[in-house]
């Protein structure tokens, strides 16, 4: 019985979307990690590293999520898609910057010439992304890439009701 439910879930549209989201996230994460580690080895500060790594991963992530995972083509809904994606991304960036900065402070006692500093600070960046993986999926699924905005539809509906009620009051 559980195996039937498990098979249905694995074959569902949501499972496919989640799989494509995971693959896109891995592509973005690999891009980000390479940029972060390279900049960190060059002595750039962790905040700048996090911002540059985020930007390097955000472009492929946006494209893969929108077009491949959620299969959205055509006109971009600026208010929901771009602003929503930006809000989620900025929150993830702030979390990554805080985590990498904290980790950097903790590893100062390690010798600089060993790769352990780079590995630990980079790992803290990866850990934040892993922790936020599910939360970002839920926000993308229910808001950012959810299709037509229910909020705007509700506002249009209220306005229409108000206008019609007002029209009914005229002599």
């Amino acid at each position: 019985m559980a195996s039937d439910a498990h098979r249905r879930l694995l074959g569902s549209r949501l499972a496919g979307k989640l799989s494509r989201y995971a693959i896109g996230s891995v592509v973005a994460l690999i891009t980000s990690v390479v940029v972060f580690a390279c900049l960190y080895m060059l002595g750039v500060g962790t905040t700048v590293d996090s911002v540059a790594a985020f930007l390097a991963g955000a472009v492929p992530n946006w494209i893969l999520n929108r077009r491949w995972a959620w299969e959205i083509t055509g006109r971009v809904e600026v208010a929901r898609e771009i602003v929503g994606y930006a809000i989620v991304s900025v929150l993830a960036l702030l979390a990554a910057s805080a985590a990498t900065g904290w980790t950097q402070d903790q590893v100062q006692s390690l010798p600089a010439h060993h790769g352990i500093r780079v590995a630990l600070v980079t790992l803290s960046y990866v850990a934040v992304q892993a922790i936020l993986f599910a939360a970002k999926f839920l926000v993308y699924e229910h808001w950012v890439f959810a299709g037509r905005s229910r909020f705007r539809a509700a506002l249009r509906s209220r306005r229409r009701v108000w206008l019609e009620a007002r029209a009914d009051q005229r002599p």
Side-chain angles (χ1 to χ4, degrees), residues 52-134:
F54 158 75
L55 292 173
V59 172
N61 195 354
W62 165 263
I63 293 168
L64 290 171
N65 281 333
R66 186 173 194 274
R67 294 192 179 153
W68 188 44
W70 274 268
E71 299 174 346
I72 298 172
T73 57
R75 195 171 145 246
V76 174
E77 292 285 334
V78 175
R80 189 185 68 255
E81 290 181 36
I82 294 178
V83 172
Y85 185 81
I87 290 170
V88 170
S89 297
V90 165
L91 292 174
L93 175 61
L94 291 173
S97 294
T100 57
W102 181 83
T103 306
Q104 167 68 19
D105 291 343
Q106 302 308 308
V107 298
Q108 287 303 305
S109 62
L110 298 174
H113 63 281
H114 293 140
I116 288 209
R117 268 193 193 181
V118 174
L120 290 174
V121 176
T122 303
L123 183 62
S124 69
Y125 180 86
V126 172
V128 168
Q129 303 311 316
I131 291 167
L132 294 177
F133 176 82

Side-chain angles (χ1 to χ4, degrees), residues 7-75:
R7 267 187 253 127
R8 277 192 306 254
L9 177 64
L10 289 178
S12 74
R13 183 170 164 83
L14 182 64
K17 189 183 300 183
L18 184 58
S19 297
R20 290 186 301 272
Y21 167 72
I23 292 167
S25 295
V26 168
V27 167
L29 182 62
I30 290 170
T31 305
S32 294
V33 166
V34 168
V35 170
F36 184 91
C38 288
L39 290 175
Y40 186 77
M41 285 189 297
L42 293 173
V44 179
T46 57
T47 301
V48 174
D49 293 353
S50 294
V51 171
F54 158 75
L55 292 173
V59 172
N61 195 354
W62 165 263
I63 293 168
L64 290 171
N65 281 333
R66 186 173 194 274
R67 294 192 179 153
W68 188 44
W70 274 268
E71 299 174 346
I72 298 172
T73 57
R75 195 171 145 246

Side-chain angles (χ1 to χ4, degrees), residues 142-154:
H142 295 289
W143 181 41
V144 176
F145 300 120
R148 194 170 178 134
S149 172
R150 286 175 257 174
F151 178 72
R152 286 191 317 170

